[in-house]
Amino acid sequence: MGNAIYSVAQINSARGNLKYNMEKHMRFIKLAAENNCEVIIFPEMSLTGYERELAAQQYFIKDDKRLVCFQDSSTKHKITIVLGGPLQLNNKLYIASWIFEPNKQHQIYIKKYLHTGEELYFSSNKHHDPVVKLKDKQMSFAICYDIENDAHIEQVKLKGSNFYGASIFYTKSGIKSGIERLEYIANRYSLAVLMSNYVGTGWELEAGGCSSIWSDRGNLVISADKHSECLLIAQNDNGEWRGSIKKTIS
């Protein structure tokens, strides 16, 4: 597998403050780059925080000029960046992740399976399901409720992916079941799983934290606590995994 390093950002996004949230993303990206990570995953709708009612006023478009700085940062630091927000596309609103790769045109992943209640604000879309190369491996993506559907995981395996990047918003009451589900996915499907969750309050609910990384053998490599903003780093050195946490963001 070679010597590869991956990262997950556990953050608290500020409601209605895009500038603050973007600056925080940049600090985490810089920290990941300083630790030689080749990818960083952020939570579901990380740029705005998890929103339903406010998403129609906070959306981005596919080639949003406000996000060019992340493409520039990806190329500068040679790191793949996966971050999220509401997307308006063809007069519909979606929950999406923007995927920025060094020296490439960005791609967009759209949430496939909506949680109950989300259909009042968002549409689902079975298209826009990209993969990215990480050295000799391949990563597919998920947003929150996608992970609960076996059909989604089976499509990931059909694509030949080895990694599963999950951007989520799970509350303190729901995170235990989310962790159990992702551990099952890592074990059952031999996928290395990178899961990014929030801390703090989002959509007037307390987030559950516990962002985690599992190896492709289903072993937990590293997990965060329920309340701290931090960067999780996992290194795979020829099949031997080890993890660390960085809590100081300068």
Side-chain angles (χ1 to χ4, degrees), residues 224-242:
D225 63 26
K226 294 182 179 181
H227 54 81
S228 301
E229 290 192 304
C230 60
L231 184 76
L232 281 69
I233 298 173
Q235 183 166 355
N236 179 10
D237 190 0
N238 295 313
E240 296 297 324
W241 288 82
R242 61 182 182 273

Side-chain angles (χ1 to χ4, degrees), residues 49-77:
Y50 180 83
E51 296 286 358
R52 293 185 186 182
E53 294 86 353
L54 299 181
Q57 288 79 51
Q58 298 179 337
Y59 68 80
F60 300 86
I61 60 174
K62 181 177 181 292
D63 297 312
D64 204 298
K65 292 182 179 178
R66 292 172 293 177
L67 305 184
V68 170
C69 58
F70 294 111
Q71 182 62 69
D72 293 342
S73 185
S74 171
T75 298
K76 175 183 177 181
H77 295 299

Side-chain angles (χ1 to χ4, degrees), residues 26 56 71 82 87 100-101 104 112 143 160 172 182 195 202:
M26 285 297 188
Q71 182 62 69
V82 184
L87 164 71
F100 298 97
E101 300 175 81
K104 292 185 179 181
K112 305 291 178 278
I143 300 177
K172 282 188 173 181
L182 288 166
M195 179 268 279

